[in-house]
Amino acid sequence: MDIGKIDQIIDKHDGEASSLIQILLDIQSENHWLPKEALTRVGEKLEVPMSRIQHITTFYKHFSLSPKGKHEVHVCVGTACHVRGAERILDTVQEVTGVGAGETDPDLNFSVETVSCLGCCALGPVIVVDGEIHGNVEQAETAAVLTELKQAETDEVMQQCACE
Amino acid sequence: MSRIKSPAELEAFRKEILAQRDPDKPCITLCSGSACNATGSGKVAAALELEIEKQGVTTEVVSRRTGCHGFCEQGPIVVIYPQGICYLKVQPEDIAEIISETIKKQKIVERLLYVDPNSGERATLEEDIPFYKNQKRLVLGSNRKIDPRSLEDYLAVEGYQALTKVLFEMTPEQVVGEVKDAKLRGRGGAGFPSGLKWDFARKAPGDQKYVVVNCDEGDPGAYMDRSVMEGNPFAVLEGLMIGAYAIGANEGYIYVRQEYPLAVANLTVAIEKAEEYGLLGKDILGSGFDFTIKVHRGAGAFICGEETSLLNSLEGKAGEPNARPPFPAIRGLWTKPTNINNVETWANIPMIINKGAAFFSAIGTESSKGTKIFSLVGKVNNTGLVEVPMGASLRDIIFKIGGGVPGDKKFKAVQTGGPSGGCLPEGLLDTKVDFDELSQAGAMMGSGGMIVMDEDTCLVDIARYFLAFLSDESCGKCTPCREGIRQMLKILTNMTKGLAKEGDIDLLFELAEATKGSSMCALGKTAPNPVLSTLKHFREEYEAHINEKRCPSLSCKALIDFYIDPEKCKGCGACFRKCPAEAIEGGKKRIHVIVQDKCTKCGGCHEACPAAFDAVNILSGVPVPEATPEEARAIG
Ligand SMILES: Cc1cc2nc3c(=O)[nH]c(=O)nc-3n(C[C@H](O)[C@H](O)[C@H](O)COP(=O)(O)O)c2cc1C
Ligand code: FES
């Protein structure tokens, strides 16, 4: 991640150490994960020891210390979604993508995360694929959405191979 | 517009806004809360804008994108005022007709109306729909009338009248007194009397004090706070300022979970607008009262909803709790006296000031006053947000407002209070929503999650689910919580896997006692509740799991098997085509057979089998019958 961009984010929060979490959130949303250089830079500028940054980045669930896949799939496993069959939806997501909850595939195509409630409980079960919320999903629909994405990735790889 | 410098200027501005608004002019409101956005409200809004232009009614109609109306299952929702005509599940292609028929010719588009699933009757007006008719929307009511990003809209519904009254006509003591008299209790879970808490913070020694809004809303399955924050942020701001004036604070913080981006966005706009008009900042309305607000996004930790953790998180630290006392009212943010309340609590304040403590305390029960918003979700027909007066019965909420359980399934339990709460059975459906009554019944008011479960929901699994959630969310600081939850979870997981042993129930009770009695914060102290309440009301389900390795709800995967009844199978092949694991042996006009060791128990075959045949059975606690031999599988 570009150091200039990180500095910009830090400046936006007036470089205050109490804004550490807010700064990390902004970097996470910009870059989808927190690379070591970014954390080092934040530590230097805010004069916060790395141990505290590590404590925070591992304490809060939203932070990721490893790169995310191109497509991010969030499966809500909150109570409302749970009683409406979220577990089966999660199974389907794992089957189709081959990626378990909390994991990313080695090709960095998919990241799968579980979340506890997105506040769309009335539409449960809910999944979010690349930021788009799908409500009242069934196994078949989930599979269809993800298979399409997966196919697109495979096509792209095939095309690249053909070119070479 | 420049800064408004006095109450007189504010009233003049309000008059000017109202004068520009013709109450008889058709106003099309479109719900644009997160749920409706997910069902396509954005596209409907675009179509609306286009069509108003195209059909040449720009001057004859006003359109407004509002916050959540509550009936999320039926979104996107369009309501046309002044009549209150309510259209549900509106799609972009419906808009042309709405304009050409309803706006131009005052004709109703029948197919977009609510249809009662039982009587088949349609309801034209919002207030005729049973879901709304049986509610009392004092807090949520404005959501459907205002654009959450418009200060003008908020002023048009009496916004900032309460603040003016407080700043110019009341002393801080009087404000605290009014909230005390209203008998308002906190909506964040514990139900602590708000006036009393304000009084502690007001009397606490110190010049620097803070007020905080708790919008962490960690209860999975609840979204009341999100909808209030998204739909009416100015009301929360106004409530917060009144509280700040009462306790003597000049700085406020709003803690919003980052999973709620729209709430953060709307709130940020509201703060900017309020600053621009001088309703935040220095010398507000010329009263000498200064107030500023900062928004802090949570980064995903349930424990940060707990007040001491939240304050640590606000300081930029990990959100671990501190032992109380000292309470935040004495030693809070940066060691200063701090008053923290839930979103809904704050949103009640302007109303209490405007209408008076007597009005508020006339609603509800002896010990619980006013209304409460619930997120009515799960296995219920009308899911969404419902606001009812305290004292309404669970039965009325679930059946009158919620329309009961879908399909021909039977109601089994309702869960309130989130991970700290409990499950109540059918026999307790007449329990009233009241802080004390719900606690006595073994559940809890909590922040307002109300999850309905039907006969297919396994309550041992629900207890396991909540403990899995809490085990994940326990901060780990104190041992009883960290280890107690983990051990209970282990036992419950074993039960759902058919690995439970005799004596496990006793062990659960013992662990529950220890965790309850010796954890540091309320996360651990209340963590055993989901286990204890299900054990109390549904003990036979536990016993079936332990003694017979049977899941009565046919839901625990490890305890069920799918089996095709050879007498009923017609060889149609529907299950064969659906099975993702290739675990079904079929063939034309042949009895289909599930190969048990290939079956992943996804349930696809059960869903696929035509209802007329109903040949796929789910078995639990009994061995799967021998498969029909290959040579005997031909049908007819
Ligand atoms: C584990 C835990 C989670 C909590 N989560 C929330 C929450 O998400 N929102 C909330 O308003 N209060 C939550 N609370 C309650 C707060 O600690 C605090 O009591 C509340 O914000 C006070 O506001 P009130 O008096 O207006 O209810 C939680 C408490 C605990 C122990
Ligand atoms: S429980 Fe899934 S969105 Fe709330």
Side-chain angles (χ1 to χ4, degrees):
Chain A
M1 194 184 174
D2 177 29
I3 291 284
K5 186 77 213 168
I6 296 171
D7 286 354
Q8 239 176 31
I9 291 173
I10 296 172
D11 292 342
K12 198 179 95 191
H13 293 279
D14 302 329
E16 269 185 49
S18 62
S19 298
L20 178 57
I21 297 168
Q22 305 307 300
I23 291 168
L24 294 173
L25 276 174
D26 284 350
I27 297 176
Q28 167 84 37
S29 83
E30 183 78 24
N31 195 55
H32 301 284
W33 70 289
L34 302 173
K36 182 137 187 274
E37 314 84 75
L39 299 184
T40 312
R41 184 69 181 175
V42 170
E44 279 166 14
K45 294 262 290 189
L46 300 187
E47 296 175 15
V48 172
M50 197 45 129
S51 57
R52 192 169 142 214
I53 296 183
Q54 289 287 5
H55 187 184
I56 282 174
T57 51
T58 51
F59 183 87
Y60 294 100
K61 295 211 167 44
H62 187 63
F63 297 125
S64 170
L65 295 172
S66 54
K68 290 277 174 178
K70 196 160 151 192
H71 301 291
E72 290 190 53
V73 185
H74 295 254
V75 181
C76 177
V77 292
T79 321
C81 291
H82 178 81
V83 304
R84 286 196 183 179
E87 209 125 309
R88 286 166 61 185
I89 301 296
L90 182 60
D91 286 346
T92 306
V93 170
Q94 294 182 348
E95 255 159 49
V96 178
T97 60
V99 179
E103 291 171 6
T104 301
D105 60 8
D107 297 333
L108 297 185
N109 281 332
F110 284 100
S111 290
V112 176
E113 298 285 343
T114 57
V115 287
S116 301
C117 196
L118 295 153
C120 294
C121 321
L123 307 178
V126 177
I127 61 170
V128 185
V129 181
D130 294 335
E132 194 178 329
I133 300 178
H134 301 256
N136 287 320
V137 287
E138 290 174 3
Q139 285 174 294
E141 185 194 340
T142 309
V145 172
L146 296 176
T147 309
E148 197 177 310
L149 282 182
K150 201 174 169 185
Q151 192 58 45
E153 291 309 320
T154 322
D155 288 352
E156 200 172 294
V157 172
M158 296 302 271
Q159 247 174 12
Q160 278 170 3
C161 292
C163 292
E164 284 161 16
Chain B
M1 181 75 198
S2 55
R3 286 177 66 90
I4 303 169
K5 291 189 220 59
S6 67
E9 276 186 37
L10 182 71
E11 283 321 304
F13 185 41
R14 192 194 312 278
K15 276 214 182 93
E16 194 185 312
I17 293 166
L18 290 173
Q20 284 164 4
R21 298 187 175 198
D22 175 0
D24 296 327
K25 189 168 170 177
C27 174
I28 307 177
T29 64
L30 168 66
C31 173
S32 302
S34 286
C36 280
N37 282 348
T39 48
S41 163
K43 288 189 186 126
V44 177
L48 190 58
E49 204 170 307
L50 207 80
E51 209 53 49
I52 288 177
E53 185 74 50
K54 203 163 125 196
Q55 300 201 24
V57 287
T58 350
T59 52
E60 285 138 63
V61 56
V62 183
S63 78
R64 187 172 294 149
R65 295 191 71 178
T66 70
C68 179
H69 295 198
F71 206 2
C72 307
E73 176 101 50
Q74 300 283 337
I77 301 172
V78 164
V79 183
I80 300 169
Y81 294 102
Q83 304 91 329
I85 300 164
C86 182
Y87 291 141
L88 303 170
K89 293 200 172 164
V90 176
Q91 294 303 309
E93 49 278 17
D94 299 322
I95 294 296
E97 199 177 340
I98 292 180
I99 307 264
S100 66
E101 296 303 305
T102 310
I103 299 297
K104 289 189 166 173
K105 299 187 207 140
Q106 273 83 53
K107 276 197 189 145
I108 304 295
V109 184
E110 295 274 333
R111 71 187 152 80
L112 296 174
L113 295 177
Y114 173 81
V115 184
D116 190 304
N118 300 320
S119 66
E121 269 177 46
R122 290 175 201 275
T124 308
L125 304 183
E126 197 179 25
E127 66 215 39
D128 295 337
I129 300 174
F131 178 80
Y132 290 122
K133 192 161 65 184
N134 295 302
Q135 295 191 42
K136 189 173 181 74
R137 291 190 288 171
L138 294 181
V139 177
L140 272 183
S142 293
N143 266 27
R144 64 207 154 121
K145 296 187 195 143
I146 60 176
D147 173 347
R149 300 185 174 202
S150 162
L151 181 67
E152 287 82 352
D153 280 6
Y154 185 61
L155 288 173
V157 293
E158 304 183 348
Y160 287 105
Q161 258 176 14
L163 180 72
T164 318
K165 181 167 168 187
V166 162
L167 291 181
F168 293 93
E169 294 167 29
M170 293 171 84
T171 62
E173 292 81 0
Q174 282 171 326
V175 178
V176 171
E178 196 73 15
V179 176
K180 271 189 184 167
D181 291 345
K183 301 204 176 76
L184 172 68
R185 293 174 67 174
R187 304 307 197 221
F192 193 82
S194 307
L196 205 58
K197 194 150 90 175
W198 287 22
D199 212 17
F200 291 147
R202 197 183 70 78
K203 289 184 179 145
D207 298 334
Q208 180 72 27
K209 294 179 185 178
Y210 297 101
V211 281
V212 178
V213 181
N214 187 344
C215 187
D216 195 44
E217 195 156 54
D219 175 1
Y223 64 107
M224 310 71 50
D225 296 347
R226 196 205 68 187
S227 291
V228 171
M229 194 58 103
E230 268 178 25
N232 198 355
F234 287 108
V236 181
L237 296 184
E238 190 181 358
L240 183 66
M241 292 167 81
I242 293 169
Y245 171 77
I247 75 154
N250 298 106
E251 282 178 51
Y253 284 84
I254 304 184
Y255 192 99
V256 192
R257 66 204 299 246
Q258 64 82 31
E259 288 90 336
Y260 289 175
L262 186 61
V264 175
N266 286 359
L267 177 62
T268 308
V269 173
I271 291 174
E272 280 165 13
K273 290 263 167 78
E275 280 168 350
E276 187 188 325
Y277 286 84
L279 289 161
L280 271 177
K282 289 240 169 283
D283 191 19
I284 292 164
L285 296 174
S287 65
F289 173 63
D290 307 333
F291 192 64
T292 55
I293 292 180
K294 276 201 186 124
V295 178
H296 182 107
R297 286 160 299 154
F302 172 67
I303 186 64
C304 285
E306 193 280 333
E307 54 191 25
T308 60
S309 308
L310 187 148
L311 297 177
N312 280 329
S313 181
L314 272 183
E315 293 178 10
K317 298 190 281 207
E320 287 167 355
N322 298 339
R324 298 178 312 177
F327 287 90
I330 308 299
R331 189 186 161 90
L333 190 60
W334 288 297
T335 72
K336 306 292 183 212
T338 302
N339 181 71
I340 173 165
N341 278 121
N342 167 266
V343 175
E344 196 183 331
T345 315
W346 288 118
N348 267 292
I349 298 294
M351 174 179 50
I352 290 174
I353 299 295
N354 277 332
K355 302 200 167 169
F359 166 85
F360 188 84
S361 62
I363 304 164
T365 63
E366 188 50 41
S367 69
S368 310
K369 303 295 185 187
T371 60
K372 177 77 195 86
I373 309 175
F374 288 96
S375 126
L376 184 62
V377 293
K379 304 284 188 68
V380 59
N381 276 311
N382 304 331
T383 58
L385 287 188
V386 305
E387 182 177 347
V388 291
M390 295 283 189
S393 74
L394 293 173
R395 191 185 302 282
D396 282 354
I397 299 177
I398 297 166
F399 290 90
K400 264 198 195 155
I401 299 176
V405 176
D408 44 16
K409 300 282 181 190
K410 262 185 67 188
F411 169 88
K412 188 193 255 179
V414 56
Q415 208 279 347
T416 66
S420 308
C423 292
L424 299 180
E426 173 137 41
L428 288 173
L429 274 179
D430 291 316
T431 306
K432 294 189 171 73
V433 290
D434 170 289
F435 286 102
D436 307 331
E437 206 169 303
L438 279 171
S439 298
Q440 267 156 28
M444 215 177 114
M445 177 78 81
S447 59
M450 188 177 280
I451 293 116
V452 181
M453 301 168 190
D454 68 6
E455 55 186 297
D456 293 342
T457 316
C458 169
L459 288 165
V460 179
D461 176 65
I462 289 295
R464 182 205 59 79
Y465 160 83
F466 278 117
L467 286 199
F469 173 81
L470 290 166
S471 161
D472 212 29
E473 296 290 351
S474 164
C475 78
K477 192 170 171 179
C478 74
T479 317
C481 172
R482 187 183 66 234
E483 292 305 321
I485 293 175
R486 209 159 72 163
Q487 295 309 324
M488 284 189 283
L489 174 60
K490 229 181 204 172
I491 296 173
L492 290 165
T493 309
N494 278 344
M495 286 181 183
T496 59
K497 291 205 164 142
L499 303 171
K501 299 184 297 291
E502 221 191 296
D504 274 358
I505 291 186
D506 293 335
L507 201 52
L508 274 180
F509 275 123
E510 206 176 306
L511 283 163
E513 269 325 299
T515 311
K516 210 174 174 165
S518 48
S519 292
M520 187 174 77
C521 84
L523 186 142
K525 284 191 211 295
T526 58
N529 287 356
V531 185
L532 293 172
S533 77
T534 46
L535 264 174
K536 182 167 168 197
H537 300 298
F538 302 93
R539 189 170 174 129
E540 67 291 350
E541 287 203 21
Y542 280 82
E543 282 162 355
H545 280 75
I546 301 169
N547 302 333
E548 304 166 49
K549 310 291 177 229
R550 177 172 69 88
C551 173
S553 320
L554 305 176
S555 121
C556 292
K557 255 190 177 180
L559 300 183
I560 56 169
D561 295 296
F562 288 84
Y563 171 69
I564 301 173
D565 186 341
E567 303 287 321
K568 289 184 177 171
C569 178
K570 298 282 185 280
C572 73
C575 59
F576 177 84
R577 287 188 294 276
K578 186 81 181 266
C579 179
E582 296 180 13
I584 297 181
E585 292 176 355
K588 218 175 189 173
K589 286 257 156 201
R590 286 175 67 77
I591 292 170
H592 284 48
V593 171
I594 298 174
V595 183
Q596 295 296 334
D597 43 1
K598 280 193 187 170
C599 177
T600 60
K601 304 182 183 175
C602 71
C605 53
H606 184 68
E607 272 167 28
C609 185
F613 304 160
D614 188 25
V616 180
N617 293 342
I618 309 177
L619 308 176
S620 184
V622 291
V624 182
E626 281 292 327
T628 317
E630 289 262 4
E631 59 280 10
R633 291 188 191 168
I635 300 175

